[in-house]
Amino acid sequence: MSVSAPSGGRSVELDIGGMTCASCANRIERKLNGLDGVEATVNYATEKAKVHVPEGFDAQALIDEVAKTGYSATLPRSSTPGAGGPGAGVAGEDMDPELTSLRQRLIGSAVLAVPVVAMAMAPALQFTYWQWASLTLAAPVIVWGAYPFHRAAWMNLKHGTATMDTLISMGTLTAFLWSLYALFLGTAGTPGMTHGFEFSIAPSDGAGNIYLEVGAGVTVFVLAGRYFEKRSKRQAGAALRALLELGVKDVAVLRDGAEVRIPVAELAVGDTFVVRPGEKVATDGVVTSGSSAIDASMLTGESVPVEVSVGDTVTGATVNSGGRLEVRATRVGADTQLAQMAKLVEDAQTGKAEVQRLADRISGVFVPIVIAIAFATLGAWLGAGFPVAAAFTAAVAVLVIACPCALGLATPTALLVGTGRGAQMGVLIKGPEVLESTRKVDTIVLDKTGTVTTGKMTLAEVIAEDGTDSDELLRLAGALENASEHPIAQAIAAAARDSGGELPTPEGFANVEGQGVQGVVDGHAVIVGRESFLADWALELSPRTAAAKRDAESDGKTVVAVGWDGQAKGILVVADAVKPTSAQAISELRALGLKPVLLTGDNAAVAQRIAAEVGIDEVISEVMPQDKVSVVKRLQDQGKVVAMVGDGVNDAPALAQADLGLAMGTGTDVAIEASDITLVRGDLRSAVDAIRLSRKTLSTIKTNLFWAFAYNTAAIPVAAAGMLNPMLAGAAMAFSSVFVVGNSLRLRGFTSVAN
């Protein structure tokens, strides 16, 4: 069932700065939720807060509240993709000040820390005053390089909380302060002092040991982890940025018959603009002049260009592959399909799945527990009679190894990559809650018209009387029907054009209401329409053709009779054709463990024919539009978890009622709004992709969480037992975050069943 925002009020989105872990996000979220009437969700991976506030609530109050926690918040720049939409003007990597700062600190710290670590690890490099050289090199790393961690830890301390920055700051500063003690007050500053590097803790005289390599090394490893984590998060959001950058920047508008180029942001509904071959369509609109083929592959993933002419709709950001078009704008700015797609993807990436909420709750109490374990480790080692240095080193290793970076990144990075990959494939997942729904679904209800079938009448068969050429039958009937606007007439005319090219122009065309059309084509007096219409002109079908007509009609198809020059010449069979990919999609849905059910308002004969053609066993037919929701409820009452795929206004209630609603992007805005997933391409195989991708994303999240939990669970006892050097602990902690992000990025390789 679709998840909606609380009733009343409005939604505000904030860009959050300064977060370094999931615990930061939790603290901001708790602070915002403490305001009256405010419901907030803060996402660490996207660095955004989605806040629902009462009407009239001042957004500045939210920004001020975030500032009180020690972080920054700003309202995002409101603009539309290509015409000013959500997230337009996304900064490149070099324009990201946080990433630039991280890179500078990482490079500077690494240059200084490498010799410090090298001297500590290799006694051969320990010259007479090496320890003082180490202090000179390590001090800037621990003070300047690790400054973001110290600052965040201090801000957290002032608010009585602890985050992973607290662990890092405590670990590095403790190592630094102990080294200062050993150098200035102990024996470590003695000229010629040496000590070796060990993977485990060895009892020793604490006043003779320095741990500058620990402070410097941990800082570099954590900075490296943060930098690559930040880079990876940007890569994870690349699909959304690519979507946002699809739009055009300026457009040629017709003013008093002349073309005037203006910024696309100034384009208004009702303006007529020009799209030349090779150009992108500036915004959603209707073709008023010209014909062409539109390539929508960048937007929908559909590889076959679509032919458009006067009266057809076109979508912004698609490419004109053929002739010159004049288009009247119908939707601009944030109302365009591209902007709505971007908003859906952004909303999905900002929300939280239930598994993420669990991880957040755990990480919220994790840090204080780790600090307690570190102090307990220190006390246990001292109580057992070990030297202070050994006890101290084990405690620092616990602090460093336990940082819950991987735990905080496990869900949002997978969600970020999964929804972004879906957008590239034309699958828009409305929210993270949808992921859980796809795992539980066992029944999928498919609307027939526009979902399994094309939703448009198509010529299915031409049956000519003996002695009549079927191509000539179609050509003459098509020429006459070409002058009519009726959907059946247009289906016949389109088939005639595809078969024989340009059609002759009829003379004396007349439309007889409810019966058919008549006129003169190439000198023949042609009549097309009901069998009774031909009978009025004393034209009768042969017994063979009349029997074929009855068989077709019993199958739910529409039959048009054709005659000329005083004789019945044959029949044309028209039907709503099954989409070429529907049968494959049904087979793939079955392979996913779903039972397909065909739901339609058409008669049983039509429904059974379509179902047999695509391989569906269960059919529910002759259902009134308002009763579709009752069918879904009845299936749910039987214990089934139901997904519904539809495209029309009458499908909207059923889409909302279903446990998982999937709307064809070729359908109505109402249906799309009521759904959980939008299938932009209108290909039923997209439903397969949506469920497969959602399940794969959920599986990736669970894998990430498992390794994050397993890592901390296994590593803390190892560190507490003195079997892990703090510097190696820092490297391992950073690697765990990179592993989780890397595992999530594998979703970028997800492929469609259509490939």
Side-chain angles (χ1 to χ4, degrees):
M1 188 166 56
S2 300
V3 178
S4 59
S7 58
R10 62 190 177 94
S11 290
V12 176
E13 190 174 89
L14 299 175
D15 290 331
I16 306 295
M19 290 194 299
T20 55
C21 67
S23 297
C24 302
N26 291 340
R27 188 149 68 84
I28 298 170
E29 191 172 290
R30 286 196 302 271
K31 194 73 171 175
L32 290 174
N33 284 326
L35 297 173
D36 288 341
V38 172
E39 293 184 28
T41 299
V42 180
N43 191 306
Y44 168 50
T46 59
E47 297 174 334
K48 291 181 182 294
K50 189 174 182 181
V51 191
H52 189 270
V53 298
E55 286 294 347
F57 194 95
D58 186 3
Q60 186 60 41
L62 300 174
I63 295 173
D64 294 342
E65 196 68 16
V66 173
K68 291 177 185 176
T69 64
Y71 303 93
S72 65
T74 56
L75 291 170
R77 212 177 103 200
S78 179
S79 43
T80 312
V90 178
E93 181 177 320
D94 293 335
M95 300 290 287
D96 187 332
E98 188 177 347
L99 199 62
T100 301
S101 174
L102 272 173
R103 183 168 59 243
Q104 291 171 346
R105 290 181 191 276
L106 173 60
I107 293 172
S109 298
V111 169
L112 295 173
V114 166
V116 175
V117 174
M119 286 187 288
M121 293 178 65
L125 299 177
Q126 295 172 2
F127 54 90
T128 304
Y129 291 102
W130 73 273
Q131 67 270 49
W132 296 101
S134 293
L135 175 62
T136 304
L137 294 171
V141 176
I142 298 170
V143 176
W144 170 75
Y147 173 74
F149 313 136
H150 305 323
R151 179 183 177 277
W154 173 245
M155 294 297 297
N156 293 328
L157 181 61
K158 287 198 298 184
H159 291 90
T161 59
T163 67
M164 66 165 284
D165 291 296
T166 308
L167 304 183
I168 297 169
S169 180
M170 285 180 64
T172 55
L173 284 179
T174 306
F176 183 55
L177 293 173
W178 182 274
S179 299
L180 290 177
Y181 160 76
L183 284 169
F184 287 99
L185 301 177
T187 59
T190 305
M193 183 276 292
T194 61
H195 66 68
F197 175 84
E198 297 182 2
F199 283 87
S200 59
I201 308 303
S204 64
D205 177 12
N209 283 16
I210 59 173
Y211 290 95
L212 293 170
E213 79 280 5
V214 172
V218 166
T219 298
V220 170
F221 282 125
V222 175
L223 281 173
R226 287 275 174 88
Y227 175 71
F228 290 114
E229 170 191 315
K230 181 80 173 174
R231 281 276 308 271
S232 297
K233 287 198 293 184
R234 287 188 58 80
Q235 289 178 350
L240 176 59
R241 287 193 296 277
L243 189 65
L244 295 170
E245 290 164 4
L246 282 178
V248 300
K249 301 298 182 286
D250 52 38
V251 58
V253 179
L254 291 178
R255 299 271 197 257
D256 299 323
E259 292 185 22
V260 179
R261 191 157 286 274
I262 63 172
V264 75
E266 296 177 12
L267 192 64
V269 172
D271 284 344
T272 298
F273 60 92
V274 176
V275 189
R276 292 184 176 81
E279 289 185 339
K280 288 182 181 179
V281 179
T283 193
D284 300 355
V286 176
V287 178
T288 58
S289 176
S291 61
S292 181
I294 295 292
D295 179 1
S297 58
M298 287 187 296
L299 196 63
T300 67
E302 185 60 64
S303 58
V304 180
V306 178
E307 296 290 335
V308 297
S309 57
V310 176
D312 290 333
T313 58
V314 290
T315 305
T318 54
V319 179
N320 179 11
S321 303
R324 179 181 183 275
L325 294 175
E326 292 182 10
V327 180
R328 185 182 74 255
T330 56
R331 292 193 289 192
V332 297
D335 295 328
T336 63
Q337 182 176 338
L338 176 62
Q340 290 170 356
M341 285 174 62
K343 189 69 172 68
L344 278 173
V345 176
E346 228 170 13
D347 287 347
Q349 294 179 345
T350 304
K352 291 186 181 180
E354 189 57 37
V355 284
Q356 173 63 25
R357 296 187 186 280
L358 172 63
D360 286 349
R361 288 194 294 271
I362 292 172
S363 63
V365 298
F366 188 74
V367 173
I369 291 175
V370 168
I371 293 174
I373 292 174
F375 278 109
T377 300
L378 179 66
W381 278 71
L382 292 174
F386 287 98
V388 174
F392 156 77
T393 307
V396 170
V398 169
L399 288 174
V400 174
I401 198 69
C403 295
C405 305
L407 189 62
L409 290 169
T411 297
T413 52
L415 186 63
L416 202 64
V417 181
T419 53
R421 178 60 184 139
Q424 290 177 321
M425 297 168 58
V427 174
L428 304 181
I429 300 172
K430 198 171 269 189
E433 301 87 354
V434 173
L435 302 179
E436 279 96 346
S437 299
T438 59
R439 178 172 53 88
K440 302 168 187 172
V441 166
D442 54 30
T443 303
I444 184 162
V445 176
L446 306 168
D447 173 55
K448 179 184 76 67
T449 306
T451 301
V452 177
T453 67
T454 61
K456 295 191 293 186
M457 302 302 282
T458 307
L459 182 69
E461 194 175 4
V462 178
I463 301 175
E465 296 282 11
D466 293 338
T468 301
D469 180 68
S470 58
D471 290 338
E472 181 71 358
L473 174 68
L474 179 58
R475 189 179 77 88
L476 294 181
L480 194 59
E481 294 282 42
N482 196 36
S484 171
E485 294 297 326
H486 194 281
I488 293 176
Q490 286 301 302
I492 294 171
R497 282 193 299 272
D498 291 343
S499 175
E502 183 115 7
L503 298 175
T505 303
E507 300 174 7
F509 174 83
N511 179 24
V512 180
E513 190 70 30
Q515 292 295 316
V517 293
Q518 61 189 53
V520 178
V521 182
D522 286 351
H524 300 287
V526 183
I527 300 172
V528 182
R530 295 178 181 272
E531 185 179 6
S532 59
F533 186 40
L534 267 67
D536 291 342
W537 291 83
L539 308 182
E540 290 187 9
L541 297 172
S542 68
R544 176 184 65 84
T545 306
K549 174 179 176 293
R550 288 191 297 272
D551 289 344
E553 288 176 335
S554 68
D555 258 352
K557 299 175 183 176
T558 300
V559 179
V560 174
V562 183
W564 65 79
D565 296 344
Q567 290 184 334
K569 298 294 185 178
I571 58 173
L572 303 174
V573 181
V574 178
D576 180 7
V578 170
K579 292 179 180 178
T581 59
S582 290
Q584 180 194 351
I586 299 301
S587 175
E588 296 283 355
L589 289 169
R590 287 187 184 279
L592 290 173
L594 304 179
K595 179 182 180 181
V597 177
L598 187 66
L599 179 65
T600 179
D602 273 346
N603 63 58
V606 175
Q608 290 293 345
R609 175 178 63 83
I610 298 295
E613 197 170 335
V614 298
I616 296 177
D617 299 325
E618 186 172 343
V619 179
I620 303 174
S621 58
E622 300 180 17
V623 178
M624 297 296 288
Q626 62 270 26
D627 293 334
K628 288 186 176 182
V629 68
S630 300
V631 172
V632 173
K633 283 181 181 176
R634 186 172 72 246
L635 291 170
Q636 290 171 326
D637 291 342
Q638 294 171 5
K640 295 181 172 65
V641 182
V642 180
M644 167 78 186
V645 187
D647 73 331
V649 174
N650 56 18
D651 297 323
L655 288 168
Q657 173 64 35
D659 299 284
L660 178 68
L662 301 96
M664 303 300 257
T666 49
T668 65
D669 291 343
V670 177
I672 292 171
E673 182 62 30
S675 67
D676 300 299
I677 296 176
T678 300
L679 312 175
V680 177
R681 286 186 295 167
D683 183 336
L684 192 54
R685 290 179 300 182
S686 295
V688 180
D689 290 337
I691 293 172
R692 287 178 57 243
L693 177 60
S694 295
R695 289 181 176 180
K696 182 67 175 176
T697 303
L698 186 63
S699 172
T700 301
I701 289 172
K702 290 182 174 180
T703 301
N704 287 347
L705 286 172
F706 170 79
W707 284 111
F709 279 121
Y711 171 83
N712 285 124
T713 302
I716 290 176
V718 172
M723 300 170 64
L724 193 62
N725 182 280
M727 189 169 63
L728 295 181
M733 183 273 293
F735 173 76
S736 70
S737 295
V738 174
F739 168 80
V740 163
V741 175
N743 188 49
S744 297
L745 288 172
R746 292 171 58 233
L747 286 168
R748 293 197 298 177
F750 182 89
T751 56
S752 168
V753 295
N755 293 342

